Amino acid sequence: MEQNYKLTIAYDGTRFFGWERQPGKDTIQGKLESVLSRLQGHPVDVTGAGRTDAGVHARAMTANVVLDVEETPESIRDYLNRYLPDTIAVREVKEASPRFHARYNALGKTYRYICFDGPVKPVFDRKYVTLLDYRPDVERMQQAAAYLTGEHDFASFCGNPKMNKSTVRTVDSIRIQQKGDYLTLYFHGDGFLQHMVRIMTGTLLEVGFHRMQPNDVITILQGKKRSLAGPTAPAQGLCLIEVDYN
């Protein structure tokens, strides 16, 4: 009998071309579907809570898949972890209601972006942080972040020039903290546009480096043009931390 399953997945996105399946390219969705199709005996579709970019990581991406197999959820998890690459781990498999949809039922997401500004390069963290030439002004960044919180049209922070859907999103909180040589930014919102977190990070860093003023963010939001915002921060510093559901 068919059963809908909820999957929680962690992955190192360094060598992958993002979440979404692409012909001839290694993607997270593609790898999951390949292994589960072998278990099921015919092709299956895995639905993710979102689409992380190439090079972006995740600690708890959520997905769902409908299977008709005899295995328990734990056995499905173990099967996946046996045949998936070492850079992808299925942390949990749970039975879900037939109506559960990883993307449509998601209420919010938390992303984390890590920068390193120390004098000695972080050898063992190099694939998961973005290196900065010098330390930004965190207080200025926090002032600018306050303008980004709330419901806004984030068209200026969207990396898709052909976006024809609403670019209005709600960012509930942006938390920025410096601990030693690591600068960490946390973003929580109801959803994020393509490259949105990376563009917000790049813009906040521009403020921190005194290349922009904190209140320039107001003009950027009102302008609704990608060219007004800062650069897109590199992918390796970004990680999806959690997806919220009821």
Side-chain angles (χ1 to χ4, degrees):
M1 187 174 76
E2 288 190 341
Q3 171 67 49
N4 192 18
Y5 293 93
K6 177 183 177 183
L7 283 60
T8 304
I9 308 140
Y11 51 86
D12 176 340
T14 303
R15 72 173 187 85
F16 292 99
F17 290 86
W19 167 269
E20 188 175 17
R21 78 174 77 87
Q22 300 179 54
K25 293 184 177 180
D26 282 344
T27 68
I28 309 300
Q29 183 185 35
K31 291 294 185 184
L32 288 165
E33 289 179 344
S34 176
V35 175
L36 286 170
S37 295
R38 189 189 315 169
L39 173 66
Q40 177 68 86
H42 59 74
V44 300
D45 292 321
V46 174
T47 300
R51 301 172 182 175
T52 52
D53 303 327
V56 173
H57 317 292
R59 285 187 175 273
M61 169 65 88
T62 303
N64 73 283
V65 62
V66 176
L67 300 172
D68 185 0
V69 295
E70 297 294 328
E71 283 80 2
T72 65
E74 291 77 15
S75 295
I76 296 171
R77 178 201 62 198
D78 294 344
Y79 183 90
L80 280 161
N81 287 330
R82 186 178 307 120
Y83 293 107
L84 284 168
D86 291 341
T87 46
I88 306 175
V90 176
R91 297 172 55 184
E92 185 179 56
V93 175
K94 294 176 62 176
E95 292 185 357
S97 72
R99 297 175 64 86
F100 175 75
H101 191 284
R103 180 155 55 95
Y104 295 148
N105 293 147
L107 300 177
K109 298 184 180 75
T110 301
Y111 280 93
R112 182 191 67 197
Y113 197 96
I114 303 179
C115 302
F116 181 87
D117 56 26
V120 180
K121 57 187 177 183
V123 174
F124 299 107
D125 292 339
R126 69 190 186 283
K127 294 189 290 185
Y128 313 108
V129 301
T130 292
L131 302 182
L132 304 180
D133 292 332
Y134 53 93
R135 182 162 297 182
D137 186 327
V138 173
E139 185 175 347
R140 285 170 58 91
M141 294 175 68
Q142 290 170 336
Q143 291 171 12
Y147 294 116
L148 289 171
T149 56
E151 182 180 88
H152 301 288
D153 187 332
F154 284 95
S156 295
F157 295 86
C158 179
N160 180 3
K162 299 179 180 179
M163 184 73 172
N164 55 14
K165 296 181 180 179
S166 173
T167 48
V168 174
R169 298 290 187 274
T170 299
V171 177
D172 300 311
S173 66
I174 301 175
R175 184 161 52 92
I176 306 170
Q177 62 183 37
Q178 181 86 46
K179 187 174 182 180
D181 295 330
Y182 291 86
L183 174 69
T184 307
L185 299 86
Y186 292 93
F187 300 84
H188 183 272
D190 61 0
F192 296 91
L193 304 166
Q194 185 177 17
H195 296 169
M196 180 173 160
V197 175
R198 292 166 61 191
I199 297 170
M200 287 194 293
T201 299
T203 303
L204 292 172
L205 286 171
E206 289 293 284
V207 173
F209 292 143
H210 292 256
R211 297 171 188 151
M212 288 182 177
Q213 297 299 317
N215 60 5
D216 285 347
V217 171
I218 300 173
T219 304
I220 294 170
L221 286 167
Q222 293 173 343
K224 301 179 184 179
K225 291 182 181 179
R226 170 65 188 92
S227 59
L228 297 174
T232 304
Q236 74 264 18
L238 185 60
C239 183
L240 173 63
I241 299 298
E242 187 176 15
V243 183
D244 303 330
Y245 297 94
N246 278 332

